[in-house]
Amino acid sequence: MTSATSPNPAPVFDIRALTYVTHVDDNLCCPICQSPLVEPFTTSCRHTFCSECITNALKASKTCPVDRTPLDTKNINMAPVVLANLVNDLTVLCPNHRDGLGCTATLPRGNVEGHLKEDCLYVTVACPGCEEKIMRKDLQDDVCVHVEEECSYCSGMHRKLDMKEHETVCPGLTTPCKFCGNECPRPQIPNHEAICDEAIVSCDAASVGCPWHGLRKESTDHSTSCPLMHIRPLLEENNSRLANLEHENKLLRRRLELSLVARAQTDIAESMDDQTIRVLTEQEHIRSDLERLYVSMQEMDIKQNMLSMHMSDNMRTKEEVAMIGAAVNNLRTQLHGLQLLMFRRQGLDQNGSGGARPTGASSQAGDNSVLGHARRMSDMPSGDRVKL
Amino acid sequence: MANLPKRIIKETQRLTEEPVPGINAVPHEDNLRYFDVSIHGPSQSPYEGGIFRLELFLPEDYPMCPPKIRFLTKIYHPNIDRLGRICLDVLKSNWSPALQIRTILLSIQALLGAPNPDDPLANDVAQKWKEDEKTAIETARQWTRTHAMS
């Protein structure tokens, strides 16, 4: 199943995973693995299996897997050569056909091992220069493909391995134009295609509905005969006017919507009922009443201030009256003292001359009246005080 | 899929492309060795009309050892126990690597059509089968209606 490993080791491949190109008769398949027989062996009871399959089966049970005849390894022998040749001649795809590796070879199953060992380009082998793994298809003259070298067209440095891929895009090379087939330097391809006579173009009037497609060199002829080309300026002008009108229409519509909204709001205001108006009037009245109340409150405040001023004036007057009363008392005491002094002097005078008595009496009466008057005067403040 | 032997891939393909009438086996997407199986009860048997669900698992060394199969639907049968385990020689000592999923499922379908109370797994059922076969078959029919026809 596996191939030799040197000098270029071929990969191990699963022979039962091979894809057969044609349908394989069930009689050529092993009853155990159900794949086309691999190294067929036949039992003494004449059933045939792959050598690997029957060996494993006998490890599990010493009977024939098909008819349960007792068997041992000594009861199995290589199948006839004709059978081995039949299965080895079945056509298969190269195992590297799968996984996108891309070998397209179809070959007899018996040749697969040799193909992988010698020919298949999609087998990994060692690079002759540096031992890195590369595919056989990338081998070049027994030299290392990982060394960079100069591209002979663009002077860029690339690995030998990548050179072929580089050449497909190298700017130093020409490429045939996909329209006219003329070789053209790669960087100039876009410029060339823009003027290439063989390029497929559409009519200049395609924007106004001309379906014509054709070679660029024929487009001039078409243009002269294309009716849409003649009316194209007119159509384009109309189109632009239409676009302007649509734009304007949109603006007007928006403005109209706005004014409709405003109008609706006015209508709502007008449709307010009498009750609302009454409530509003009432509210106005209440507001003016409140203002009047406020004004009168302010007046009251002023009056109260004036009253408290009067009160303090009163207090001051009272204090003054009290002070005057005190002064009067003081004066009365002094007057009393003076009267005593006068009485004493009169007494001294009467002791000196009796003739002078009536005068003294009258003067005493006069003094008394003065005294009584003074007493009444001094009583006055106290009477006032009570009254106050 | 990478470690799945070519034989299992082939068997699965063939089960899908050429299904056996009355037998359906579908592998799980996340485990291609695990199959959901359903078997129609054979006609002329007390299991007729029922659809019996089973689980089937292919062990690592399949086909050198037999697949593991168990009934999931309750069934009244002398060779199938309460847990759904099946007494069938080809699933045990008489397994052969030349047998396949489809042949094993056909054997199980045949076992439903031909109960064998002399090699029982469910002793009470086998006993009943031997003593009063008519009643046993009626019970099997009743169980089929109850468990395999919903």
Side-chain angles (χ1 to χ4, degrees):
Chain A
M1 277 222 300
T2 57
S3 61
T5 51
S6 62
N8 290 332
V12 175
F13 73 98
D14 180 2
I15 195 165
R16 289 182 180 79
L18 287 173
T19 307
Y20 291 80
V21 174
T22 52
H23 174 74
V24 181
D25 193 314
D26 280 351
N27 291 309
L28 293 180
C29 292
C30 167
I32 296 175
C33 69
Q34 292 173 20
S35 293
L37 291 156
V38 178
E39 293 178 50
F41 269 65
T42 303
T43 65
S44 51
C45 53
R46 299 197 296 159
H47 293 113
T48 306
F49 307 91
C50 307
S51 78
E52 188 189 349
C53 293
I54 189 63
T55 311
N56 285 335
L58 287 180
K59 280 180 201 158
S61 167
K62 300 282 183 200
T63 55
C64 170
V66 175
D67 66 4
R68 298 202 176 92
T69 305
L71 275 187
D72 206 337
T73 41
K74 62 177 185 288
N75 302 117
I76 57 171
N77 288 296
M78 282 179 79
V81 176
V82 63
L83 181 60
N85 288 346
L86 266 176
V87 288
N88 280 335
D89 277 349
L90 292 167
T91 310
V92 296
L93 301 177
C94 168
N96 292 331
H97 169 79
R98 289 173 298 170
D99 303 325
L101 285 171
C103 180
T104 53
T106 57
L107 61 170
R109 194 183 75 177
N111 294 358
V112 170
E113 196 176 320
H115 167 74
L116 292 176
K117 204 170 158 185
E118 305 292 339
D119 307 323
C120 182
L121 296 177
Y122 293 84
V123 170
T124 49
V125 293
C127 171
C130 66
E131 298 296 310
E132 226 176 286
K133 297 285 178 203
I134 55 168
M135 283 208 182
R136 186 180 278 132
K137 69 182 172 70
D138 295 325
L139 276 177
Q140 289 176 27
D141 308 328
D142 287 343
V143 293
C144 179
V145 295
H146 299 94
V147 175
E148 283 196 346
E149 60 178 29
E150 191 180 331
C151 169
S152 47
Y153 306 105
C154 70
S155 308
M157 297 299 285
H158 298 280
R159 295 193 305 179
K160 218 174 167 58
L161 181 65
D162 305 328
M163 197 56 86
K164 271 187 185 153
E165 199 185 328
H166 163 71
E167 283 175 7
T168 63
V169 294
C170 176
L173 282 167
T174 59
T175 285
C177 167
K178 65 184 173 190
F179 300 115
C180 65
N182 290 338
E183 288 290 333
C184 187
R186 282 204 180 109
Q188 286 169 28
I189 284 282
N191 295 340
H192 167 74
E193 283 178 0
I195 55 160
C196 177
D197 275 347
E198 302 290 327
I200 304 289
V201 292
S202 52
C203 174
D204 285 344
S207 59
V208 291
C210 178
W212 185 87
H213 282 83
L215 302 179
R216 180 171 280 120
K217 63 184 177 192
E218 291 166 3
S219 67
T220 324
D221 290 347
H222 167 75
S223 294
T224 52
S225 64
C226 177
L228 283 168
M229 269 307 275
H230 294 299
I231 57 166
R232 183 179 158 208
L234 191 66
L235 281 171
E236 280 180 350
E237 195 190 327
N238 274 346
N239 279 347
S240 76
R241 275 166 69 184
L242 192 65
N244 283 340
L245 283 172
E246 274 174 3
H247 180 66
E248 196 181 331
N249 189 20
K250 206 183 284 177
L251 284 179
L252 285 173
R253 187 173 297 152
R254 195 176 302 160
R255 210 177 293 169
L256 182 66
E257 278 167 7
L258 284 175
S259 59
L260 278 177
V261 168
R263 176 72 190 277
Q265 284 171 350
T266 322
D267 286 353
I268 289 168
E270 279 173 2
S271 69
M272 274 205 310
D273 52 8
D274 292 349
Q275 201 174 354
T276 321
I277 290 167
R278 266 210 304 285
V279 168
L280 281 173
T281 329
E282 201 88 332
Q283 196 189 352
E284 263 323 293
H285 288 164
I286 289 169
R287 190 180 294 153
S288 59
D289 282 355
L290 271 172
E291 275 170 9
R292 269 206 304 282
L293 276 171
Y294 181 68
V295 170
S296 52
M297 261 176 72
Q298 277 182 331
E299 283 171 358
M300 292 283 278
D301 271 356
I302 292 166
K303 276 179 190 166
Q304 196 184 353
N305 281 347
M306 281 167 70
L307 261 174
S308 54
M309 273 167 67
H310 286 312
M311 287 278 280
S312 54
D313 279 358
N314 259 340
M315 289 296 282
R316 257 201 311 277
T317 317
K318 234 185 271 173
E319 279 168 13
E320 277 170 19
V321 169
M323 276 166 69
I324 291 165
V328 168
N329 274 340
N330 204 10
L331 282 171
R332 191 186 292 147
T333 318
Q334 284 177 4
L335 187 64
H336 192 67
L338 281 172
Q339 275 176 338
L340 282 176
L341 270 171
M342 274 174 68
F343 282 141
R344 247 177 243 156
R345 197 178 292 166
Q346 275 174 353
L348 285 172
D349 287 350
Q350 274 172 357
N351 290 341
S353 64
R357 195 157 175 173
T359 315
S362 66
S363 71
Q364 195 179 3
D367 282 350
N368 276 343
S369 70
V370 170
L371 202 66
H373 181 68
R375 196 176 290 130
R376 276 198 304 276
M377 281 293 281
S378 69
D379 286 344
M380 271 295 285
S382 58
D384 279 352
R385 223 174 275 139
V386 171
K387 225 186 272 176
L388 278 167
Chain B
M1 201 75 177
N3 295 327
L4 208 62
K6 184 79 176 169
R7 161 159 170 167
I8 296 180
I9 298 169
K10 276 195 167 179
E11 277 202 65
T12 309
Q13 269 174 357
R14 202 160 158 227
L15 279 168
T16 321
E17 285 162 14
E18 308 162 42
V20 191
I23 290 174
N24 185 34
V26 183
H28 275 210
E29 268 180 32
D30 54 347
N31 184 355
L32 296 171
R33 288 177 176 270
Y34 190 91
F35 289 72
D36 283 321
V37 179
S38 59
I39 295 179
H40 291 240
S43 56
Q44 313 294 318
S45 82
Y47 311 102
E48 185 175 1
I51 296 173
F52 297 87
R53 293 200 309 113
L54 299 90
E55 58 179 4
L56 182 150
F57 179 72
L58 304 175
E60 189 58 39
D61 38 2
Y62 177 84
M64 293 308 158
C65 71
K68 298 189 186 306
I69 310 182
R70 187 172 80 90
F71 269 85
L72 296 174
T73 307
K74 270 173 79 89
I75 182 167
Y76 192 78
H77 191 287
N79 308 108
I80 300 163
D81 74 1
R82 284 189 305 113
L83 300 174
R85 293 176 297 190
I86 306 160
C87 178
L88 188 62
D89 61 345
V90 288
L91 284 176
K92 309 254 166 36
S93 55
N94 273 344
W95 168 254
S96 149
L99 293 169
Q100 305 172 28
I101 297 173
R102 63 167 57 225
T103 50
I104 284 297
L105 294 180
L106 275 168
S107 300
I108 292 169
Q109 198 179 35
L111 184 69
L112 296 188
N116 181 9
D118 293 323
D119 183 17
L121 192 61
N123 280 319
D124 52 335
V125 180
Q127 190 74 19
K128 193 86 186 170
W129 217 278
K130 281 199 271 194
E131 285 171 1
D132 184 357
E133 191 177 344
K134 207 177 159 192
T135 314
I137 286 173
E138 189 46 50
T139 310
R141 198 169 278 135
Q142 182 61 47
W143 279 42
T144 303
R145 274 198 293 273
T146 313
H147 304 295
M149 288 191 185
S150 50

